[in-house]
Amino acid sequence: MMIESISTPAIVIDEKKMKNNIKRMISVKDKNGVQVRPHFKTHKSSYIAHAQIDAGACGLTVAKVSEAELLIKKGIKDILIANPLIDQEKVQLLSPYRRDVRIIFTVDSKEQAKQMITSLIDDDEFEVWIKINSGLNRCGVEPGEEALELAKYVASLKGLKLTGLFTHAGHSYASKTEEQLNQVAMQEVTSIVDTASLCENNGIPITHRSVGSTPTFERAATYEGVTEVRPGNAVFFDRMQMNLGIAKREEVVLTVLTQLISKQKNRLVFDGGSKAFTTEKGAHGNEGVSGFGEAQKDSALILSRLSEEHGIIDLVEENLSLLDKIELGEKRNFIPNHACTAVNLFDQYHMLRTDGKVVQVSIDGRGKSQ
């Protein structure tokens, strides 16, 4: 199969670029002596998860139990469940796998830690990390004394083995300058490293100090005390990462292939809408880009509107010349604003190999949201 023969809309990835991005992710391991635990939610593919492990990743991060179960069945042996679990059935679902797989659960409250104890069988023991809020204000206990209080409680519970602290600096996506990104990375690291020191000064050893966001992971990896980083989007990159200056256009791996199906005097209409792209304009509510996608090889082609099945470029005096640049029926690759949400709309990737051929790769984690 060649690109020209792919039925649209379709999600396309470039194998060579993806391998280069994985190398970039894993390079912090050699440069800074930290482990790399990529987030599965970006690519939702066990094929890509194994490519990351083969390159040197220590394990995978997941958001959901169903993702973890898929990866375990596909042979991944080290998994962090980044979302704190309060549902006993979800915890018990993973328990049988723990004989052969390292599964790290996460907590951010005493109530939740106590609830996890009820899921234990006999003299079993769960490895847990405490989630710290480093500024995103989502899940996570506050760093410092509040985290120490929870750490003391978790350490006192028979059946829970506290081995680490972790955080996610998603608020980095609101950064406007290099200086702001540096500040967020420092804040992210400080919340973990200082809290770990506080715990250890109170007799609670903290082996793992994990941080993670694509905009900050390369910066955070350079700080003493960090043991692990968890980039997700870095495997693909997207318009948001381009806007932040984290990735160059030529480093973006993933595009949505669409076809021009209608050409009117004041608009161009492609066959990919909100069911192929994302309606997000930035991560975590921070708008950073205009429109909903831009053509990979022509930044002037920006989708200004989306309906379910249509991506529309409205033409005004400033961009009316676009009418002469594209013919009805032509196909264009568009870079989505947010790769992670676009991926979950498709069953398979069309992967462009280095020999120019296209192969299909299953997005086997698609829809696993429980």
Side-chain angles (χ1 to χ4, degrees):
M1 181 187 293
M2 305 300 284
I3 286 286
E4 295 76 16
S5 63
I6 297 174
S7 182
T8 57
I11 200 159
V12 177
I13 56 176
D14 185 298
E15 182 182 32
K16 182 178 180 180
K17 291 181 179 181
M18 183 177 73
K19 287 182 176 180
N20 286 339
N21 285 355
I22 292 175
K23 286 180 182 178
R24 176 176 167 181
M25 294 167 66
I26 304 299
S27 68
V28 300
K29 177 181 178 180
D30 297 325
K31 292 177 184 175
N32 309 112
V34 300
Q35 295 297 321
V36 180
R37 185 184 296 275
H39 211 308
F40 181 71
K41 71 179 179 65
T42 294
H43 52 74
K44 290 276 195 171
S45 166
S46 61
Y47 173 90
I48 298 176
H50 275 287
Q52 292 173 320
I53 293 291
D54 291 345
C58 68
L60 269 291
T61 305
V62 302
K64 304 294 184 176
V65 167
S66 56
E67 293 176 323
E69 191 172 27
L70 168 70
L71 288 179
I72 291 168
K73 291 177 179 178
K74 294 294 184 176
I76 302 298
K77 298 293 187 180
D78 194 325
I79 299 170
L80 169 70
I81 315 290
N83 277 10
L85 298 177
I86 196 67
D87 188 329
Q88 185 175 343
E89 289 184 6
K90 290 182 178 180
V91 177
Q92 290 178 338
L93 182 66
L94 294 177
S95 291
Y97 300 113
R98 293 178 52 256
R99 289 185 292 270
D100 304 307
V101 179
R102 180 193 184 197
I103 300 174
I104 308 163
F105 293 99
T106 58
V107 299
D108 71 350
S109 71
K110 291 181 179 179
E111 293 80 7
Q112 185 209 357
K114 188 175 181 180
Q115 180 68 25
M116 289 200 70
I117 295 294
T118 64
S119 302
L120 286 166
I121 300 173
D122 299 327
D123 294 326
D124 201 2
E125 186 177 61
F126 291 147
E127 180 179 0
V128 296
W129 290 0
I130 291 176
K131 188 157 196 175
I132 305 295
N133 176 33
S134 58
L136 179 58
N137 296 325
R138 201 169 58 181
C139 292
V141 68
E142 293 304 307
E145 292 294 335
E146 191 172 313
L148 173 61
E149 182 182 354
L150 178 57
K152 287 179 178 178
Y153 180 76
V154 173
S156 72
L157 295 176
K158 183 181 179 182
L160 298 187
K161 184 180 181 182
L162 175 61
T163 66
L165 307 176
F166 80 114
T167 191
H168 169 61
H171 52 299
S172 59
Y173 284 89
S175 301
K176 303 295 184 185
T177 65
E178 186 86 6
E179 183 180 353
Q180 288 178 350
L181 271 176
N182 290 335
Q183 183 65 33
V184 172
M186 183 174 69
Q187 177 187 16
E188 176 185 26
V189 170
T190 300
S191 71
I192 292 295
V193 173
D194 287 0
T195 301
S197 295
L198 182 62
C199 289
E200 294 194 324
N201 289 339
N202 281 269
I204 304 171
I206 302 294
T207 305
H208 306 285
R209 299 105 181 268
S210 178
V211 298
S213 81
T214 288
T216 62
F217 84 95
E218 290 168 307
R219 293 167 169 81
T222 65
Y223 283 83
E224 185 177 354
V226 171
T227 64
E228 179 184 282
V229 294
R230 305 185 321 279
N233 187 274
V235 69
F236 289 152
F237 294 130
D238 50 29
R239 287 187 82 207
M240 289 191 295
Q241 306 299 340
M242 288 167 53
N243 180 67
L244 285 166
I246 303 301
K248 299 175 183 177
R249 177 179 294 272
E250 57 268 25
E251 292 178 298
V252 175
V253 170
L254 181 145
T255 57
V256 178
L257 182 68
T258 64
Q259 185 175 41
L260 185 66
I261 57 171
S262 181
K263 185 177 180 180
Q264 305 300 323
K265 62 183 180 180
N266 64 348
R267 63 192 180 276
L268 301 171
V269 184
F270 293 84
D271 63 353
S274 61
K275 289 180 178 177
F277 292 89
T278 174
T279 56
E280 291 184 18
K281 290 191 173 184
H284 306 297
N286 302 308
E287 290 200 7
V289 294
S290 62
F292 299 96
E294 66 179 82
Q296 185 181 35
K297 295 183 178 179
D298 190 345
S299 59
L301 285 170
I302 296 178
L303 300 173
S304 48
R305 290 187 286 137
L306 296 180
S307 57
E308 287 185 58
E309 309 294 351
H310 303 84
I312 303 151
I313 298 178
D314 290 307
L315 300 176
V316 293
E317 186 175 346
E318 289 78 9
N319 65 351
L320 201 58
S321 61
L322 292 176
L323 276 173
D324 301 323
K325 299 178 79 171
I326 184 169
E327 296 297 326
L328 193 65
E330 285 189 33
K331 295 178 180 179
R332 289 289 187 274
N333 294 80
F334 280 85
I335 301 172
N337 291 350
H338 192 180
C340 306
T341 48
V343 164
N344 204 45
L345 300 171
F346 292 86
D347 289 325
Q348 61 194 9
Y349 296 109
H350 290 80
M351 185 170 71
L352 175 63
R353 296 189 345 190
T354 52
D355 60 7
K357 294 182 180 179
V358 175
V359 297
Q360 294 179 352
V361 175
S362 175
I363 305 175
D364 48 359
R366 184 258 176 111
K368 293 192 178 296
S369 302
Q370 296 75 36

